[in-house]
């Protein structure tokens, strides 16, 4: 829809401008550890770009033939992932504190970079937008048309995919757009008139 598209364009333009600022060879304070894929850490990487803060992007390589990651297994054995129940992603702060769970990391970074509003009420409303977006992703996953779905035939997956993109997803996005109209103060923003975590959630 038009408003959500405008928000995506605004965020994309901001990311392109910020990308030139980041220097991957610099000494970093924060460390984000995840696999060498987009997955559950990609939104965190986007927030880092918007925050203009350098960080170490640790990526565990995955063997495409076996889907195994020796680097990830080593991190588990070393205790690097213990606070996240031996899962990734994790964020290690400059003070050496480890934060697990992708959404917890996203909110921590969003607060750190001023993307969660100025008051508890604004933070709650921005968080609400992000949760709406998570509902969409969860609904898509539950629809069961990905290549990882095991209990459906290819024909059933194709039908579920068609139903999702032609009916279910447009209906959910329309509801989100109506909600965003109540919180946006400027074209291209989901809340107020500046980029927030809500915009990142919609973009991602």
């Amino acid at each position: 829809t038009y408003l959500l598209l405008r928000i995506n364009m605004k965020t994309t333009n901001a990311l392109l401008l910020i990308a030139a600022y980041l220097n991957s060879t610099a000494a970093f304070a924060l460390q984000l550890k995840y696999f060498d894929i987009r997955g559950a850490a990609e939104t965190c990487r986007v927030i880092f770009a918007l925050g203009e803060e350098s960080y170490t992007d640790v990526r565990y390589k995955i063997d495409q033939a076996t889907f195994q990651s020796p680097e990830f297994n080593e991190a588990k054995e070393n205790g690097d992932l213990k606070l996240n129940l031996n899962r990734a992603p994790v964020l290690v702060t400059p003070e050496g504190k480890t934060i697990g769970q992708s959404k917890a990391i996203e909110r921590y970074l969003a607060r750190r970079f001023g993307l969660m509003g100025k008051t508890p009420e604004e933070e709650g409303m921005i968080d609400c937008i992000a949760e709406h977006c998570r509902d969409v992703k969860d609904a898509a996953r539950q629809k069961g048309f990905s290549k990882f779905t095991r209990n459906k035939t290819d024909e059933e997956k194709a039908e579920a995919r068609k139903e999702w993109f032609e009916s279910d997803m447009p209906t959910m996005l329309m509801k989100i757009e109506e909600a965003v109209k109540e919180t946006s103060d400027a074209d291209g923003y989901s809340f107020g008139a500046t980029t927030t975590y809500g915009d990142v959630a919609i973009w991602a």
Side-chain angles (χ1 to χ4, degrees):
T1 58
Y2 175 75
L3 182 55
L4 297 184
L5 178 61
R6 290 287 296 168
I7 291 171
N8 277 334
M9 291 175 62
K10 287 275 189 179
T11 307
T12 299
N13 289 337
L15 290 172
L16 290 173
L17 290 173
I18 291 167
Y21 171 84
L22 299 177
N23 183 351
S24 61
T25 61
F28 305 115
L30 288 160
Q31 293 184 37
L32 180 65
K33 301 181 179 182
Y34 190 61
F35 300 102
D36 191 20
I37 57 175
R38 295 181 62 189
E42 191 65 14
T43 301
C44 298
R45 295 172 182 140
V46 170
I47 295 173
F48 264 118
L50 290 171
E52 300 185 20
E53 181 169 337
S54 297
Y55 71 106
T56 301
D57 189 7
V58 178
R59 301 196 182 208
Y60 304 125
K61 301 295 183 183
I62 300 175
D63 187 319
Q64 295 302 314
T66 63
F67 290 100
Q68 296 298 312
S69 174
E71 295 175 352
F72 173 70
N73 292 334
E74 182 180 353
K76 288 196 295 183
E77 293 172 2
N78 292 340
D80 293 349
L81 309 176
K82 186 175 181 180
L83 287 179
N84 197 35
L85 310 182
N86 283 332
R87 301 173 299 179
V90 297
L91 180 76
V92 182
T93 70
E95 298 76 26
K97 303 296 185 181
T98 299
I99 302 171
Q101 294 286 354
S102 59
K103 295 303 176 184
I105 297 171
E106 289 173 17
R107 291 182 175 92
Y108 168 82
L109 292 174
R111 292 188 188 98
R112 183 183 182 94
F113 302 139
L115 301 176
M116 292 296 281
K118 297 180 179 179
T119 67
E121 291 75 20
E122 289 184 356
E123 178 174 329
M125 296 173 74
I126 292 168
D127 206 5
C128 178
I129 296 169
E131 287 300 298
H132 290 332
C133 295
R134 178 154 66 164
D135 286 344
V136 175
K137 292 181 178 180
D138 288 346
R141 190 179 303 109
Q142 292 168 9
K143 199 70 177 180
F145 54 79
S146 79
K147 64 180 180 180
F148 300 107
T149 301
R150 303 300 183 189
N151 60 345
K152 290 184 179 181
T153 65
D154 290 342
E155 290 76 15
E156 289 173 330
K157 290 181 184 180
E159 181 59 31
R161 183 181 295 105
K162 182 175 184 293
E163 188 176 85
W164 170 253
F165 284 105
E166 292 185 1
S167 177
D168 297 348
M169 185 178 73
T171 298
M172 295 187 76
L173 293 182
M174 187 178 299
K175 290 180 179 179
I176 293 176
E177 177 155 11
E178 288 303 311
V180 164
K181 288 179 181 178
E182 300 297 315
T183 57
S184 174
D185 292 335
D187 186 31
Y189 300 101
S190 64
F191 183 89
T194 59
T195 299
T196 66
Y197 177 50
D199 301 318
V200 177
I202 290 173
W203 184 87

